[in-house]
Amino acid sequence: MYVAGLQAVLFTAVLLVASQHSGSNNMSEYMHVTNAISTNLNELNQEPGITRIGVAGNGTEHLIKVGIGWDHAKVTEARMKELIDQVLSHAAASYGERDWQKSLETYTLKIEEIVDTMGGDGKVVAEKPAGTTELVWSNSTR
């Protein structure tokens, strides 16, 4: 849990530095949204079978990446979908939005499975392109 908290603080610090260079309200909004997701993602530390979590992204590209490592024997695909919806809903509620789909419409959202090997991106298990409201899951999270 300490590592997840440290990740959230570090991520927020990086975003703050980036926003000071951009000087735009869009970056401030992006930081607010990603910080809310990161904070609420920490709820998953209590879920049996969740091994790792993380948030990354690129404010200039309006990209938010949520990485989750999990034990497939303990967390079903249906449960993972519920957990992601719960995290995004709680994040949106924390900044006054009723529905996360609407609040993330201008962003590309990628949910990736964090794997044990180092290097590269994780396997994208769900994606919501900018300008849309539907998070589309791959056929299988395995």
Side-chain angles (χ1 to χ4, degrees), residues 9-120:
V9 170
L10 182 59
F11 180 70
T12 302
V14 168
L15 289 176
L16 284 171
V17 170
S19 72
Q20 289 176 352
H21 291 290
S22 73
S24 73
N25 285 338
N26 286 339
M27 186 57 78
S28 177
E29 180 183 322
Y30 172 81
M31 288 179 7
H32 186 68
V33 169
T34 53
N35 189 41
I37 291 172
S38 180
T39 299
N40 285 278
L41 191 62
N42 284 326
E43 295 174 11
L44 296 185
N45 284 323
Q46 309 305 314
E47 186 72 25
I50 300 297
T51 58
R52 285 180 246 177
I53 57 172
V55 177
N58 183 324
T60 57
E61 294 178 9
H62 286 218
L63 170 65
I64 301 170
K65 294 167 94 175
V66 174
I68 304 174
W70 72 93
D71 180 341
H72 288 266
K74 295 180 180 177
V75 181
T76 65
E77 183 175 332
R79 180 65 180 145
M80 182 54 62
K81 289 177 182 180
E82 289 173 5
L83 291 170
I84 293 299
D85 188 63
Q86 180 181 31
V87 165
L88 296 175
S89 294
H90 289 169
S94 73
Y95 53 85
E97 290 289 336
R98 297 184 106 172
D99 126 24
W100 70 260
Q101 290 89 348
K102 182 178 178 185
S103 67
L104 295 179
E105 186 172 0
T106 61
Y107 300 102
T108 296
L109 174 65
K110 291 185 180 186
I111 310 298
E112 297 181 350
E113 180 176 6
I114 300 172
V115 293
D116 290 334
T117 58
M118 297 295 278

Side-chain angles (χ1 to χ4, degrees), residues 123-139:
K123 174 185 169 191
V124 175
V125 294
E127 187 169 7
K128 186 208 74 62
T132 67
T133 58
E134 182 182 1
L135 183 61
V136 179
W137 290 82
S138 64
N139 290 338

